[in-house]
Amino acid sequence: MRPLKELVRPNIWELSPYSSARDEYKGVTATVFLDANESPYNTPFNRYPDPLQLEVKAQLEKLKGVPQASIFLGNGSDEAIDLVFRVFCNPGKDNVVAIEPTYGMYAVCADINDVAYRRVPLDKDFQMDADALLAATDENTKVIFLCSPNNPTGNVLHRAQIVKLLTGFSGIVVLDEAYADFSSAPSFRKELDAYPNLIILNTFSKAWASAGIRLGMAFASPEIVALFNKVKYPYNVNILTQKAALDLMNKRHELNDWRNRILHERATLMANFKLLPCCKHVYPTDANFFLAKMDNATKIYDYLIRQGIVVRNRSKIMLCDDCLRITIGTPQENTSLLRALRQYSV
């Protein structure tokens, strides 16, 4: 890895971050707050939230096995993705490399930040070739984006290929593990010390069943997390979200039960999908969704919409011709989907 200072935008490296009222005292238990121009009424919502979400991170440290200094919390994983561009990529000069197909926000954030986005296709099994990704880089490539299990394909990327990138690329490697809780593959989270150029993304939206609270996680070296905290807006995670996260972390047994139900339903739904006349192929998955090749995905998608059932049409995505992405729902929702497709006529 190149020295971090060489990867970070010079203006970000020299940036003096905004100092919030809650950042300016440490080690004191205060009871009177007359520092932040807040209203004294409507407790607790009258107070600004903890800008570093320390109580939430203390619980995550226990659950994820990652020190608090290596945890960043943001308004969804999308905030962390955007911060990668804002911290490391000079607009109009630098570029990033990514697998294709994959999560669309990497490309959107690249466009917003005026950073060239280089796509490297996966193979027919939706696996990446580390050498092809490395060949797509040049002296201005700051970041490589990976997603495993990948979206929309659902599969885990081969571990040896990920390691080859981490050791062979001198810039930052972002590994999005949003769906890792549905997979039996081990997370790279415990290997941050071995790979200082690694940033791992995770989220409360999937296995934690809390997309509505908008809480994303990034795990990285303390130096990279410090840069994210330097650039983020001061109070980026609101008090309601922090409270909801703390409540969720006290429901581990319930969350595990939900995950196990989803995995059971995934197997059942995929097995039934393979029997549908309109389905040509069901791809293996390690996520809470699967990709299915249909005889006419757009026609079937429109038909399902008329039945009040929404799936995701991925037909215009590279390597996903005539494919629908199906999220695993409740047994009742999955039954409704199958019933509608059994009644569908080509």
Side-chain angles (χ1 to χ4, degrees):
M1 178 182 173
R2 290 158 58 186
L4 193 59
K5 186 175 181 180
E6 292 182 13
L7 294 171
V8 176
R9 291 168 54 184
N11 64 306
I12 298 299
W13 189 264
E14 301 296 334
L15 177 69
S16 296
Y18 175 79
S19 179
S20 71
R22 298 299 183 260
D23 287 326
E24 293 175 354
Y25 71 91
K26 294 287 186 293
V28 176
T29 302
T31 57
V32 177
F33 295 97
L34 304 176
D35 58 329
N37 301 336
E38 302 154 321
S39 171
Y41 307 110
N42 195 34
T43 302
F45 307 114
N46 58 325
R47 301 300 180 192
Y48 286 109
D50 175 3
L52 294 177
Q53 313 92 30
L54 294 179
E55 189 176 359
V56 179
K57 289 177 181 176
Q59 294 303 310
L60 282 173
E61 179 176 25
K62 299 173 186 176
L63 291 174
K64 299 288 188 178
V66 177
Q68 292 184 49
S70 288
I71 303 173
F72 172 82
L73 297 179
N75 187 350
S77 296
D78 292 341
E79 181 177 8
I81 293 168
D82 186 57
L83 282 170
V84 168
F85 286 94
R86 292 164 62 195
V87 168
F88 294 107
C89 299
N90 292 286
K93 175 185 176 184
D94 292 331
N95 67 76
V96 301
V97 170
I99 58 174
E100 184 72 17
T102 195
Y103 181 42
M105 278 304 296
Y106 313 142
V108 170
C109 283
D111 288 343
I112 291 171
N113 287 281
D114 191 22
V115 173
Y117 186 82
R118 299 180 176 182
R119 306 167 193 265
V120 178
L122 300 173
D123 66 20
K124 61 181 179 60
D125 296 317
F126 298 139
Q127 286 296 334
M128 71 170 191
D129 179 347
D131 289 330
L133 285 159
L134 291 169
T137 67
D138 61 22
E139 67 275 8
N140 292 322
T141 305
K142 290 292 188 67
V143 185
I144 293 177
F145 280 93
L146 306 174
C147 186
S148 181
N150 191 29
N151 178 12
T153 60
N155 61 301
V156 169
L157 301 177
H158 288 154
R159 192 174 189 85
Q161 293 294 302
I162 296 174
V163 170
K164 192 171 187 178
L165 274 185
L166 287 167
T167 56
F169 180 54
S170 62
I172 301 297
V173 176
V174 176
L175 177 59
D176 192 339
E177 293 188 342
Y179 301 95
D181 292 313
F182 300 104
S183 170
S184 60
S187 169
F188 272 84
R189 198 171 55 245
K190 300 291 182 67
E191 301 183 44
L192 288 171
D193 289 342
Y195 305 113
N197 59 336
L198 174 61
I199 299 173
I200 296 173
L201 303 181
N202 208 229
T203 179
F204 276 71
S205 295
K206 311 304 179 186
W208 291 73
S210 297
I213 73 171
R214 305 308 302 132
L215 187 60
M217 297 166 270
F219 306 106
S221 70
E223 293 77 13
I224 290 176
V225 169
L227 286 163
F228 280 12
N229 287 331
K230 190 183 200 182
V231 175
K232 77 173 182 69
Y233 292 114
Y235 303 109
N236 61 323
V237 179
N238 69 68
I239 193 171
L240 296 173
T241 292
Q242 293 189 43
K243 182 181 184 306
L246 290 168
D247 291 343
L248 274 169
M249 285 185 277
N250 289 322
K251 298 179 179 179
R252 293 298 297 158
H253 293 298
E254 189 172 3
L255 289 166
N256 285 333
D257 179 59
W258 292 343
R259 173 186 173 274
N260 290 336
R261 289 190 203 179
I262 288 170
L263 293 177
H264 174 77
E265 281 297 309
R266 184 179 77 183
T268 301
L269 184 57
M270 291 175 70
N272 280 284
F273 236 78
K274 293 175 182 178
L275 302 176
L276 294 170
C278 60
C279 178
K280 293 183 176 180
H281 184 68
V282 175
Y283 293 94
T285 185
D286 295 280
N288 67 330
F289 63 85
F290 63 90
L291 199 65
K293 191 172 187 65
M294 313 301 285
D295 58 25
N296 188 326
T298 298
K299 186 177 178 181
I300 294 171
Y301 172 83
D302 292 339
Y303 162 77
L304 289 173
I305 290 291
R306 293 194 297 272
Q307 307 305 308
I309 299 171
V310 183
V311 297
R312 196 77 192 269
N313 187 358
R314 300 282 74 189
S315 295
K316 295 182 180 179
I317 304 297
M318 183 183 293
L319 303 179
C320 297
D321 295 343
D322 269 326
C323 284
L324 298 179
R325 192 189 69 192
I326 312 295
T327 304
I328 309 303
T330 64
Q332 295 78 13
E333 290 171 328
N334 299 334
T335 297
S336 295
L337 172 63
L338 288 169
R339 183 185 302 116
L341 289 173
R342 285 167 182 151
Q343 294 171 354
Y344 170 79
S345 59
V346 179

